[in-house]
Amino acid sequence: MARKEKEEPAGLVDIIKQYVDLKAEYYRLSFVEKVSVLVGKVVLLIFTALLGLALLMLLIMLVYNLLMAWIGIGWVVSFIEIGFILLLMAVVWVFRKPLIIDPVAGSVIRSLMEQDDKGKEDDDEEA
């Protein structure tokens, strides 16, 4: 009987160690998943920005051709386009927080916190 009593706590300790190891593995995998999703979003954002820049350049060329057809003086058309780009840069700079910083920060926060909420919901359903 004395042997049986000593084996039970050892079994309990093994179960606790296994539980802790599984939890550590879960948190490690969860962290890796979050980082990979975040890196994927950053890459998507970079590609979208590059495509947006290409689209902006094509629109500028279109406006240049249209203005050249209407005005016909190259340096005036260039000044009009430079003014438009400076105006666009000023608008982006003034509204940088609601246009760029808040959406990007919100996306990062959602991607890092989203899986934790799902895990809590799963734990609640099991209980």
Side-chain angles (χ1 to χ4, degrees), residues 2 15 32 38 45 51 57 75 86 92 114:
I15 291 172
V32 169
L38 185 60
L45 184 65
L51 290 174
M57 293 301 295
W75 64 271
L86 288 174
V92 169
E114 189 172 82

Side-chain angles (χ1 to χ4, degrees), residues 51-64:
L51 290 174
L53 183 62
L55 180 65
L56 182 64
M57 293 301 295
L58 289 172
L59 287 173
I60 289 171
M61 288 174 26
L62 173 68
V63 170
Y64 179 82

Side-chain angles (χ1 to χ4, degrees), residues 24-89:
E25 183 72 14
Y26 169 75
Y27 287 126
R28 187 178 69 81
L29 290 173
S30 177
F31 175 74
V32 169
E33 180 186 11
K34 289 177 186 181
V35 169
S36 65
V37 167
L38 185 60
V39 168
K41 285 185 178 184
V42 168
V43 169
L44 177 66
L45 184 65
I46 289 171
F47 280 129
T48 304
L50 289 174
L51 290 174
L53 183 62
L55 180 65
L56 182 64
M57 293 301 295
L58 289 172
L59 287 173
I60 289 171
M61 288 174 26
L62 173 68
V63 170
Y64 179 82
N65 288 331
L66 290 174
L67 288 175
M68 277 302 287
W70 292 335
I71 297 174
I73 303 171
W75 64 271
V76 173
V77 172
S78 294
F79 276 131
I80 291 172
E81 284 189 332
I82 289 170
F84 175 72
I85 296 299
L86 288 174
L87 179 66
L88 186 62
M89 287 173 54

Side-chain angles (χ1 to χ4, degrees), residues 53 56 83-103:
L53 183 62
L56 182 64
F84 175 72
I85 296 299
L86 288 174
L87 179 66
L88 186 62
M89 287 173 54
V91 167
V92 169
W93 181 257
V94 169
F95 296 108
R96 68 187 177 273
K97 187 164 173 69
L99 286 177
I100 298 168
I101 295 172
D102 289 344

